[in-house]
Amino acid sequence: MFGNYSGATEFYLLGFPGSEDLHHTLFAIFCFFYLVTLMGNTVIIMIVCVDKRLQSPMYFFLVHLSVLEILITTIIVPVMLWGLLIPGMQTVSLAGCAAQLFLYLALGTTEFALLGAMAVDRYVAVCNPLRYNIIMSSCTCNSVVIVSWVFGFLFQIWPVYATFQLTYCKSNVVNNFFCDRGQLLKLSCNNTVFIEFILFLMAVFVLFGSLIPTIVSYTYIISTILKIPSASGQRKAFSTCASHFTCVVIGYGSCLFLYVKPKQTQAADYNRVVSLMVSVVTPFLNPFIFTLRNDKVIEALQDGVKRCCQLFRH
């Protein structure tokens, strides 16, 4: 069943090693993370759309970031949870595997483009506040978001196409909880050195293409904040950037370890842990990062809770 295949039509996801009890424990943990991620990001989307105090470019970008987090986790986590519930390995069709990998990579690329745009937005807000509304107009914000989404999906067409043009003859068992590209390349009997090098260059382009404007923006932001004479003024200025900066550190840190390496066929346990960080832990943390460290969002949440309580009383 799992011998040599000249052209695999389906793959088997190995998932997580361990006993059935461990699988049930992991299911409970990851299900909790997933539900909190869905609820947290949905709440952010709702309060930004409803509250007039949050009608600004920063929160417009935040809504799209929350949508991306919901989609990324939904592509990966339900399949992973189902694999933890059923005994044995999980079967995924070739088309299903390709679709999952493409959507995961395309949405991830879109998210990095959006994080870069959010860094520039924070730079304009802190370093050029008088012209902020002119520079970051609704037309500019809409254009940035559209370009980010289109770029993310177009950029990943060739890498996924090239991955599934390989011949999978060694096995059709993917040693991960989703269709991980590194593990797919490991199953191919083709020489993958060239494609791995191209994928490495593309990953460098995506990550550093959005990381460089982020670093430049925060260099100017920190320089401007340090020139503010009062400590309270410095805290207020930095508080507008703290959430985004925290999100950038976690997101880029995880993906640099996962994708920016010349050898894509990394050890399965390493890929599994970092993939969990990217697809489960980071989306789970982001709603807390953007609410607990943001006074405007906290105020909007408190007002929303008060309104809900008043409605229930009446």
Side-chain angles (χ1 to χ4, degrees), residues 15 30 68 85 103 111 124 233 275 282 284 313:
F30 295 146
L68 285 165
L85 278 182
L103 290 172
E111 183 169 336
V124 177
S275 296
T282 303
F284 169 78
R313 283 174 187 170

PDB file of all heavy atoms in Angstrom, residues 15 30 68 85 103 111 124 233 275 282 284 313:
ATOM      1  N   GLY A  15       0.595  12.608  10.591  1.00  0.00           N
ATOM      2  CA  GLY A  15       0.087  13.319  11.769  1.00  0.00           C
ATOM      3  C   GLY A  15       1.079  13.368  12.909  1.00  0.00           C
ATOM      4  O   GLY A  15       2.272  13.574  12.711  1.00  0.00           O
ATOM      5  N   PHE A  30      -5.690  21.746  20.735  1.00  0.00           N
ATOM      6  CA  PHE A  30      -5.731  22.439  19.444  1.00  0.00           C
ATOM      7  C   PHE A  30      -7.144  22.894  19.082  1.00  0.00           C
ATOM      8  O   PHE A  30      -7.315  23.921  18.416  1.00  0.00           O
ATOM      9  CB  PHE A  30      -5.153  21.541  18.344  1.00  0.00           C
ATOM     10  CG  PHE A  30      -3.699  21.232  18.517  1.00  0.00           C
ATOM     11  CD1 PHE A  30      -3.183  19.996  18.133  1.00  0.00           C
ATOM     12  CD2 PHE A  30      -2.838  22.152  19.067  1.00  0.00           C
ATOM     13  CE1 PHE A  30      -1.833  19.706  18.296  1.00  0.00           C
ATOM     14  CE2 PHE A  30      -1.493  21.880  19.239  1.00  0.00           C
ATOM     15  CZ  PHE A  30      -0.986  20.650  18.858  1.00  0.00           C
ATOM     16  N   LEU A  68      -7.284  36.853   7.305  1.00  0.00           N
ATOM     17  CA  LEU A  68      -6.218  35.937   6.880  1.00  0.00           C
ATOM     18  C   LEU A  68      -5.925  34.894   7.952  1.00  0.00           C
ATOM     19  O   LEU A  68      -5.727  33.717   7.642  1.00  0.00           O
ATOM     20  CB  LEU A  68      -4.947  36.735   6.556  1.00  0.00           C
ATOM     21  CG  LEU A  68      -4.952  37.499   5.236  1.00  0.00           C
ATOM     22  CD1 LEU A  68      -3.820  38.525   5.204  1.00  0.00           C
ATOM     23  CD2 LEU A  68      -4.817  36.541   4.064  1.00  0.00           C
ATOM     24  N   LEU A  85      -8.494  12.475  15.692  1.00  0.00           N
ATOM     25  CA  LEU A  85      -9.645  11.692  16.156  1.00  0.00           C
ATOM     26  C   LEU A  85      -9.675  10.281  15.571  1.00  0.00           C
ATOM     27  O   LEU A  85     -10.010   9.322  16.272  1.00  0.00           O
ATOM     28  CB  LEU A  85     -10.951  12.417  15.804  1.00  0.00           C
ATOM     29  CG  LEU A  85     -11.403  13.534  16.739  1.00  0.00           C
ATOM     30  CD1 LEU A  85     -12.727  14.094  16.262  1.00  0.00           C
ATOM     31  CD2 LEU A  85     -11.529  13.046  18.187  1.00  0.00           C
ATOM     32  N   LEU A 103      -3.281  27.238  -0.916  1.00  0.00           N
ATOM     33  CA  LEU A 103      -3.999  28.230  -0.113  1.00  0.00           C
ATOM     34  C   LEU A 103      -3.188  28.646   1.108  1.00  0.00           C
ATOM     35  O   LEU A 103      -3.146  29.827   1.472  1.00  0.00           O
ATOM     36  CB  LEU A 103      -5.355  27.672   0.308  1.00  0.00           C
ATOM     37  CG  LEU A 103      -6.392  27.513  -0.814  1.00  0.00           C
ATOM     38  CD1 LEU A 103      -7.614  26.762  -0.302  1.00  0.00           C
ATOM     39  CD2 LEU A 103      -6.793  28.869  -1.373  1.00  0.00           C
ATOM     40  N   GLU A 111      -0.290  37.670   3.914  1.00  0.00           N
ATOM     41  CA  GLU A 111      -0.158  38.198   5.278  1.00  0.00           C
ATOM     42  C   GLU A 111       1.152  38.959   5.457  1.00  0.00           C
ATOM     43  O   GLU A 111       1.174  40.027   6.078  1.00  0.00           O
ATOM     44  CB  GLU A 111      -0.247  37.063   6.291  1.00  0.00           C
ATOM     45  CG  GLU A 111      -0.202  37.547   7.727  1.00  0.00           C
ATOM     46  CD  GLU A 111      -0.562  36.475   8.738  1.00  0.00           C
ATOM     47  OE1 GLU A 111      -1.267  35.510   8.364  1.00  0.00           O
ATOM     48  OE2 GLU A 111      -0.154  36.603   9.899  1.00  0.00           O
ATOM     49  N   VAL A 124       4.197  56.370   8.826  1.00  0.00           N
ATOM     50  CA  VAL A 124       3.543  57.625   8.433  1.00  0.00           C
ATOM     51  C   VAL A 124       2.815  58.235   9.629  1.00  0.00           C
ATOM     52  O   VAL A 124       2.863  59.459   9.840  1.00  0.00           O
ATOM     53  CB  VAL A 124       2.558  57.390   7.262  1.00  0.00           C
ATOM     54  CG1 VAL A 124       1.836  58.686   6.901  1.00  0.00           C
ATOM     55  CG2 VAL A 124       3.294  56.843   6.039  1.00  0.00           C
ATOM     56  N   GLY A 233       4.623  61.008  26.384  1.00  0.00           N
ATOM     57  CA  GLY A 233       4.484  61.145  24.934  1.00  0.00           C
ATOM     58  C   GLY A 233       5.149  59.995  24.201  1.00  0.00           C
ATOM     59  O   GLY A 233       4.629  59.498  23.196  1.00  0.00           O
ATOM     60  N   SER A 275       5.647  24.454  12.096  1.00  0.00           N
ATOM     61  CA  SER A 275       4.351  24.568  11.413  1.00  0.00           C
ATOM     62  C   SER A 275       3.229  24.827  12.419  1.00  0.00           C
ATOM     63  O   SER A 275       2.295  25.582  12.136  1.00  0.00           O
ATOM     64  CB  SER A 275       4.046  23.297  10.617  1.00  0.00           C
ATOM     65  OG  SER A 275       4.982  23.103   9.588  1.00  0.00           O
ATOM     66  N   THR A 282       0.508  31.246  16.529  1.00  0.00           N
ATOM     67  CA  THR A 282       0.523  32.669  16.154  1.00  0.00           C
ATOM     68  C   THR A 282      -0.872  33.231  15.917  1.00  0.00           C
ATOM     69  O   THR A 282      -1.215  34.293  16.449  1.00  0.00           O
ATOM     70  CB  THR A 282       1.415  32.885  14.917  1.00  0.00           C
ATOM     71  OG1 THR A 282       2.735  32.397  15.194  1.00  0.00           O
ATOM     72  CG2 THR A 282       1.489  34.355  14.549  1.00  0.00           C
ATOM     73  N   PHE A 284      -3.562  32.222  17.218  1.00  0.00           N
ATOM     74  CA  PHE A 284      -4.199  32.219  18.538  1.00  0.00           C
ATOM     75  C   PHE A 284      -3.769  33.442  19.350  1.00  0.00           C
ATOM     76  O   PHE A 284      -4.585  34.052  20.061  1.00  0.00           O
ATOM     77  CB  PHE A 284      -3.820  30.929  19.278  1.00  0.00           C
ATOM     78  CG  PHE A 284      -4.179  30.908  20.729  1.00  0.00           C
ATOM     79  CD1 PHE A 284      -5.494  30.678  21.145  1.00  0.00           C
ATOM     80  CD2 PHE A 284      -3.213  31.114  21.705  1.00  0.00           C
ATOM     81  CE1 PHE A 284      -5.822  30.662  22.494  1.00  0.00           C
ATOM     82  CE2 PHE A 284      -3.528  31.090  23.051  1.00  0.00           C
ATOM     83  CZ  PHE A 284      -4.841  30.866  23.451  1.00  0.00           C
ATOM     84  N   ARG A 313     -30.890  43.022  29.346  1.00  0.00           N
ATOM     85  CA  ARG A 313     -31.713  43.479  30.470  1.00  0.00           C
ATOM     86  C   ARG A 313     -33.096  43.904  30.004  1.00  0.00           C
ATOM     87  O   ARG A 313     -34.097  43.650  30.676  1.00  0.00           O
ATOM     88  CB  ARG A 313     -31.022  44.638  31.169  1.00  0.00           C
ATOM     89  CG  ARG A 313     -29.864  44.213  32.065  1.00  0.00           C
ATOM     90  CD  ARG A 313     -29.115  45.421  32.611  1.00  0.00           C
ATOM     91  NE  ARG A 313     -27.911  45.025  33.322  1.00  0.00           N
ATOM     92  CZ  ARG A 313     -26.983  45.884  33.729  1.00  0.00           C
ATOM     93  NH1 ARG A 313     -27.131  47.179  33.493  1.00  0.00           N
ATOM     94  NH2 ARG A 313     -25.903  45.447  34.374  1.00  0.00           N
TER      95      ARG A 313
END
